[in-house]
Amino acid sequence: MKQKDKTYKRIMATMLPAYIVILLVFNIITSDRTFSEMENRVLEQAPSFNIGQLLHGNFTTNYEKYIADQFAFRDFWIGVKSHSEKILGKKDSNGVYLGRDGYLLQNFNKPMEEDFKNNINIINSFSSSIPEVNKYFMLVPNAVEILKDKLPPYAPVSNQLAFINKVEQSLSTDIKFIDVYNALYSKKDDYTFYKTDHHWTTKGAYYSYKEMGNTMDFIPKEESDFNVEQITDSFFGSLYSKSGFKNIAPDTINLYIPKSKEKYNIDFYGTDKPTTSLYSMDNINKKDKYTIFLGGNHPLIKITTNSNNKEKLLIIKDSYANSIVPFLTGHYGEIYMVDLRYYDGNLKEFIESNSIDNLLFLYNGNTFFEDKSIENIM
């Protein structure tokens, strides 16, 4: 019996180092990924060494995030972790709560005070550099705030609305804040957020579009002005993949098609593939079906419309904007969309050279408070 124990220990002592070596080799030879389709987010890249950031601890923090995001077989290990936690009875997995009525709710962690102030200062400074442009800011609360009644009991989620209000109070007076909390909360039972994805539904985007009109001085269309078309009932979104929770019903995706004929020309800068449709319908066969809206995220998009209003709108945005822009095409002659996670141009020069009349910052709460790409605006 003792001999068997010794043999077992020898095998384990040999396997563990071998396992570690194999993982190290795979981490070295595997190319870094820029995007996780499973989690539907941009992955951390290797940070550039900077002595100032090292002294402040930022370099170490960013490098740890880089290692975690680029770890070999990351998607596989996420699945193993989620399955194990579910067996143990946990109500959350990988930052996602399993809520009532089949809702998956992404956790919200309050931002660091230094990061918060930095983002606000950047936005205010940029706003002051373009005084002739009308400026607006929409910060969309996530499902974890609007549908907090669906969270498991005693879930330790920070108050996202408090930080959204803090943003409103911290912005320069020349930036008009578009408050969509009440509009979304009052309609929270109307399927305004997907159950398995972190985005709002097209209906949630529509209710917020109605609020935009009050601040941005256009008359929004009524819901009866659109034909609502269901294009899929088998959408499993990013939170479904990220959490690993299974046996959850899929989402449906609806499109709001204007009954009055609209025409568009859409140019994706950096490509030679212009289109006349706001929807990439082939993506309905992809895992991330939300990318049917404008084909997903791009550094820069230009949409030319047949609207009688010839004013130009620039949207600095995350992916929440992709499903609300189709409501705006009847109100602006040209709409530009910039995603700072991918765009590396000079925005001030862009605004001046294209005679932009209106600038809209449009972010969801989780992205705005976590993503450092807002620094690229300067």
Side-chain angles (χ1 to χ4, degrees):
M1 189 70 176
K2 289 183 178 180
Q3 185 61 36
K4 287 185 178 179
D5 289 343
K6 289 180 179 179
T7 302
Y8 174 77
K9 289 179 180 179
R10 289 195 193 101
I11 292 173
M12 294 303 296
T14 302
M15 289 180 65
L16 182 59
Y19 171 75
I20 294 173
V21 169
I22 290 172
L23 278 181
L24 285 173
V25 170
F26 271 102
N27 275 299
I28 292 171
I29 65 175
T30 303
S31 299
D32 288 351
R33 297 186 300 161
T34 58
F35 188 82
S36 169
E37 183 174 314
M38 177 178 175
E39 299 175 68
N40 192 33
R41 70 176 181 89
V42 178
L43 298 176
E44 288 284 338
Q45 301 301 299
S48 300
F49 180 79
N50 180 294
I51 189 65
Q53 290 198 355
L54 179 64
L55 294 176
H56 285 88
N58 294 338
F59 177 80
T60 304
T61 300
N62 292 336
Y63 199 81
E64 289 175 352
K65 292 179 180 178
Y66 161 69
I67 293 298
D69 273 9
Q70 301 297 340
F71 196 81
F73 312 117
R74 173 182 169 81
D75 292 349
F76 169 76
W77 293 118
I78 288 176
V80 171
K81 176 176 178 288
S82 300
H83 188 66
S84 301
E85 289 176 340
K86 188 174 182 181
I87 291 175
L88 294 173
K90 288 191 67 176
K91 293 297 184 181
D92 68 291
S93 176
N94 207 24
V96 179
Y97 288 100
L98 177 59
R100 292 193 299 107
D101 302 326
Y103 272 90
L104 299 178
L105 304 160
Q106 185 175 2
N107 191 16
F108 169 72
N109 296 306
K110 65 180 182 179
M112 301 290 290
E113 184 65 21
E114 182 180 354
D115 294 337
F116 179 91
K117 289 181 178 179
N118 185 53
N119 278 0
I120 295 298
N121 289 337
I122 288 172
I123 291 169
N124 287 341
S125 177
F126 184 73
S127 176
S128 66
S129 72
I130 50 171
E132 70 285 355
V133 178
N134 300 316
K135 281 127 348 197
Y136 308 93
F137 197 104
M138 179 191 286
L139 188 53
V140 183
N142 296 101
V144 72
E145 180 63 40
I146 299 297
L147 305 177
K148 61 174 60 176
D149 60 324
K150 297 188 183 297
L151 283 165
Y154 311 112
V157 176
S158 298
N159 186 341
Q160 188 183 63
L161 181 60
F163 287 94
I164 291 176
N165 291 337
K166 188 176 180 180
V167 169
E168 180 179 6
Q169 296 160 8
S170 303
L171 291 173
S172 297
T173 55
D174 62 336
I175 303 175
K176 295 181 180 180
F177 190 84
I178 304 172
D179 186 351
V180 297
Y181 172 81
N182 290 329
L184 292 172
Y185 187 78
S186 65
K187 302 289 187 179
K188 65 179 182 177
D189 296 326
D190 284 5
Y191 191 50
T192 52
F193 289 90
Y194 294 114
K195 293 185 174 185
T196 69
D197 194 68
H198 67 287
H199 292 103
W200 56 10
T201 63
T202 323
K203 183 178 282 289
Y206 171 75
Y207 289 142
S208 298
Y209 150 74
K210 295 268 286 186
E211 289 300 310
M212 293 175 73
N214 296 330
T215 306
M216 298 179 71
D217 297 323
F218 63 76
I219 301 175
K221 295 181 179 180
E222 297 299 324
E223 199 163 6
S224 58
D225 293 325
F226 299 90
N227 291 315
V228 181
E229 299 179 5
Q230 179 179 302
I231 57 170
T232 183
D233 60 0
S234 58
F235 174 38
F236 289 99
S238 59
L239 300 184
Y240 179 85
S241 300
K242 183 179 182 180
S243 67
F245 290 125
K246 305 301 179 184
N247 301 319
I248 294 174
D251 282 296
T252 59
I253 297 179
N254 295 322
L255 302 184
Y256 279 52
I257 308 299
K259 292 179 180 178
S260 59
K261 188 66 174 178
E262 294 186 5
K263 294 182 180 179
Y264 329 97
N265 286 307
I266 299 99
D267 293 297
F268 301 94
Y269 281 63
T271 73
D272 56 354
K273 298 180 179 179
T275 180
T276 58
S277 175
L278 297 168
Y279 306 106
S280 299
M281 297 306 296
D282 289 345
N283 289 0
I284 205 66
N285 299 313
K286 290 186 176 182
K287 181 180 183 299
D288 184 10
K289 301 183 191 304
Y290 186 79
T291 58
I292 65 161
F293 298 102
L294 291 166
N297 296 313
H298 303 270
L300 175 61
I301 300 175
K302 176 184 178 181
I303 304 172
T304 306
T305 77
N306 63 344
S307 171
N308 293 327
N309 181 8
K310 300 307 177 186
E311 287 192 6
K312 300 178 181 181
L313 169 67
L314 168 63
I315 304 176
I316 298 176
K317 43 75 74 177
D318 63 21
S319 54
Y320 266 52
N322 298 351
S323 57
I324 200 172
V325 160
F327 295 112
L328 299 175
T329 52
H331 304 289
Y332 296 95
E334 291 179 7
I335 299 176
Y336 297 85
M337 303 173 68
V338 166
D339 194 319
L340 293 174
R341 293 171 291 186
Y342 314 105
Y343 182 76
D344 60 1
N346 186 309
L347 269 179
K348 188 173 185 298
E349 290 182 0
F350 180 86
I351 288 171
E352 292 172 349
S353 62
N354 289 278
S355 302
I356 299 298
D357 304 291
N358 305 279
L359 170 63
L360 169 66
F361 294 90
L362 199 165
Y363 285 89
N364 76 83
N366 276 334
T367 297
F368 179 75
F369 291 120
E370 294 177 0
D371 189 7
K372 294 181 179 296
S373 67
I374 198 72
E375 295 175 354
N376 298 337
I377 200 172
M378 302 300 289

